[in-house]
């Protein structure tokens, strides 16, 4: 009865759909090693997250989201094998070996970059692909797909929108951190394509508490930039915006831009900082995710972390490909179909290099929350790709 209740509550979440299969050769001939999936021979999929240790709460929430997708999408043709990584590389490696020994044909997870690095060679040796939750692009490739929200797509989308509104001169304000490096590199890479210039890059210690120092460096440049990209989220973004305004960088003249770090319902207070009102950032369209978050809370009695949608979408990919009836449901032609998938986080597709492309909306910060100012594209053709 409880299972039926959960299934009824979650039916509206079923958004991930399989694209048409791309042209390819004949289907592989079934063998004893690859039986057709059914209730007697379900396809086994490993789900590796920390279920103990410091990150157990996040891992459990992601497993709960995966269970939601399983109820919504999988039927009886797929079996999820949850395994505890303990939040360590050794734990992740042990979990992967155990799941593979039990017949897992796809690995979903792990969560952290170091854990993914430990699992990758084990999965490669077994000929099994990995849908990892990390946003570390260095882990992508050779059958490992990075599902985490990497800043490059977000920076390109919001900068491209700013360019369409006449912005050609950018400044980047970023901490000296791997994330800051990624934002700076993305801005400098897309400039030639957009016909824009990054005229100033200001870096600072990520632990600095006095944000007026980097803000003054931006304010003193003549002429001032037309837009400033901030590689921070939450209270740090608020503090930098306030410091910029205090030092003469007015949001009425200089547009502030952000990354996916702003895309978190727990950061709804961004608009309480006047200097951030009107700022833009790129993120998945929020409507479908909001419905999922409401239903997750209804079922489990708590709010999910932002990245729980990754677990739902990854499990749904496995489910819809399993339902195709292929004896090899996770072949890379199907996984990397150029039409992509539609999930809780909108349009996305897996690339052959292991990265994920996403169709993002552009959001504007308001005092009462974020609003969509440029919708996410419905197809990759709309992106010219």
């Amino acid at each position: 009865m409880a299972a039926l209740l959960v299934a009824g509550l979650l039916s509206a979440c079923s958004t991930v759909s399989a694209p048409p299969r791309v042209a390819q050769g004949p289907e592989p001939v079934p063998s004893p090693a690859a039986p057709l999936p059914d209730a007697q021979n379900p396809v086994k999929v490993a789900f590796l997250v920390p279920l103990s240790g410091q990150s157990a709460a996040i891992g459990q929430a992601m497993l709960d989201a995966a269970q939601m997708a399983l109820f919504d999408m999988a039927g009886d043709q797929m079996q999820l094998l949850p395994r505890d990584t303990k939040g360590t590389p050794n734990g992740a490696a042990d979990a992967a070996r155990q799941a593979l020994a039990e017949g897992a044909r796809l690995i979903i997870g792990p969560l952290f970059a170091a854990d993914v690095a430990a699992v990758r060679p084990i999965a490669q040796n077994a000929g099994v692909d990995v849908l990892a939750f990390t946003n570390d692009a260095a882990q992508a490739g050779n059958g490992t797909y990075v599902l985490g929200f990497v800043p490059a797509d977000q920076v390109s989308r919001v900068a491209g929108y700013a360019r369409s509104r006449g912005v050609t001169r950018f400044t980047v304000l970023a901490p000296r951190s791997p994330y800051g490096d990624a934002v700076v590199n993305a801005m400098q890479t897309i400039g030639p394509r957009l016909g824009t210039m990054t005229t100033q890059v200001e870096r600072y210690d990520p632990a600095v508490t006095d944000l007026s120092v980097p803000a003054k460096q931006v304010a003193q440049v003549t002429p001032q930039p037309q837009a400033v990209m901030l590689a921070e989220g939450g209270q740090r973004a608020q503090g930098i915006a306030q410091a910029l305004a205090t030092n003469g960088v007015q949001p009425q003249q200089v547009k502030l831009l952000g990354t996916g770090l702003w895309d978190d319902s727990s950061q709804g207070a961004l608009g309480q900082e006047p200097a951030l009102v009107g700022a833009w950032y790129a993120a998945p369209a929020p409507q479908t995710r909001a419905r999922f978050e409401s239903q997750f809370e209804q079922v489990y009695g708590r709010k999910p972390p932002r990245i729980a949608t990754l677990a739902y979408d990854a499990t749904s990919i496995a489910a819809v490909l399993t339902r195709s009836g292929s004896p090899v449901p996770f072949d890379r032609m199907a996984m990397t179909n150029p039409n992509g998938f539609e999930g809780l986080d909108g349009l996305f597709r897996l690339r052959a290099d292991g990265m994920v492309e996403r169709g993002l909306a552009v959001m504007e910060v308001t005092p009462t929350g974020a609003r969509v100012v440029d919708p996410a594209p419905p197809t990759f053709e709309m992106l010219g790709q």
Side-chain angles (χ1 to χ4, degrees):
M1 184 173 178
L4 291 175
L5 174 62
V6 172
L9 287 171
L10 303 184
S11 61
C13 282
S14 304
T15 60
V16 175
S17 56
R21 291 177 67 84
V22 295
Q24 53 185 302
E27 287 284 352
V29 176
S31 69
L36 288 170
D38 55 30
Q40 284 70 44
N41 298 293
V43 173
K44 295 180 179 180
V45 175
F47 192 86
L48 310 185
V49 288
L51 298 173
S52 61
Q54 293 183 343
S55 301
I58 295 176
Q60 184 60 56
M62 297 188 79
L63 177 57
D64 291 341
Q67 297 284 7
M68 290 173 70
L70 200 66
F71 275 115
D72 279 352
M73 309 292 292
D76 57 5
Q77 296 177 322
M78 175 178 145
Q79 179 183 355
L80 205 63
L81 304 179
R83 295 294 178 266
D84 182 14
T85 67
K86 303 180 174 62
T88 68
N90 287 339
D94 290 343
R97 291 189 189 97
Q98 180 184 2
L100 291 170
E102 295 175 33
R105 296 168 64 183
L106 179 72
I107 292 175
I108 297 175
L111 180 57
F112 303 115
D115 297 356
V116 177
V119 167
R120 285 181 69 196
I122 298 170
Q124 288 172 23
N125 288 339
V128 171
D129 286 351
V130 178
L131 298 177
F133 298 130
T134 181
N135 65 357
D136 181 4
Q139 302 305 323
N142 297 318
T144 295
Y145 301 92
V146 170
L147 296 184
F149 301 106
V150 298
D153 284 348
Q154 302 153 14
V155 169
S156 178
R157 177 71 167 99
V158 73
Y161 180 73
R163 177 66 182 90
S164 74
R165 295 299 183 267
V167 175
T168 60
R169 198 170 61 254
F170 293 83
T171 284
V172 183
L173 196 51
R176 296 188 189 94
S177 67
Y179 190 87
D181 293 343
V183 172
V184 171
N185 291 338
M187 280 297 301
Q188 293 175 333
T189 298
I190 65 173
R193 175 169 60 83
L194 295 178
T196 63
M197 294 184 295
T198 299
T199 57
Q200 182 185 16
V201 175
E202 290 296 332
R203 308 298 298 271
Y204 53 89
D205 188 324
V208 69
T209 56
D210 184 3
L211 298 170
S212 66
V213 175
K216 287 177 182 177
Q217 295 297 320
V218 175
Q220 291 170 359
V221 171
T222 303
Q224 283 195 345
Q226 295 171 292
V228 178
M229 174 69 70
L230 308 181
E232 296 272 20
Q235 293 182 348
R236 297 285 289 180
Q238 289 178 298
I240 290 176
Q242 184 181 61
L244 287 169
T246 300
N247 284 278
V249 180
Q250 297 302 321
Q252 295 83 2
Q253 287 81 41
V254 180
K255 180 65 69 173
L256 299 185
L257 308 177
T259 70
L261 294 179
W262 296 10
D263 183 36
D264 191 330
S265 60
S266 67
Q267 296 185 14
L270 284 176
Q272 296 177 13
E273 169 51 55
L276 276 177
V277 172
W280 295 329
Y281 65 97
Q287 292 87 353
T288 305
R289 185 177 80 242
R291 187 167 66 246
F292 159 77
E293 290 173 346
S294 174
Q295 292 170 336
F296 184 103
E297 186 173 8
Q298 185 177 358
V299 173
Y300 296 113
R302 65 188 189 282
K303 293 184 180 296
R306 173 64 185 89
I307 60 172
T309 55
L310 297 181
Y312 185 100
D313 282 354
T315 305
S316 296
I317 290 174
V320 296
L321 293 180
T322 297
R323 282 180 4 210
S324 70
S326 168
V328 188
F330 309 127
D331 72 275
R332 291 185 185 175
M333 292 286 281
M335 297 272 281
T336 61
N337 189 297
N339 294 319
F341 300 85
E342 183 73 22
L344 294 181
D345 287 310
L347 184 69
F348 68 101
R349 64 181 173 187
L350 311 181
R351 296 193 327 208
D353 64 0
M355 298 301 294
V356 174
E357 289 180 271
R358 297 184 180 275
L360 303 174
V362 177
M363 313 295 293
E364 182 175 83
V365 177
T366 78
T368 57
R371 70 181 185 96
V372 176
V373 293
D374 194 41
T379 67
F380 282 102
E381 287 74 14
M382 295 288 290
L383 290 174
Q385 302 177 40

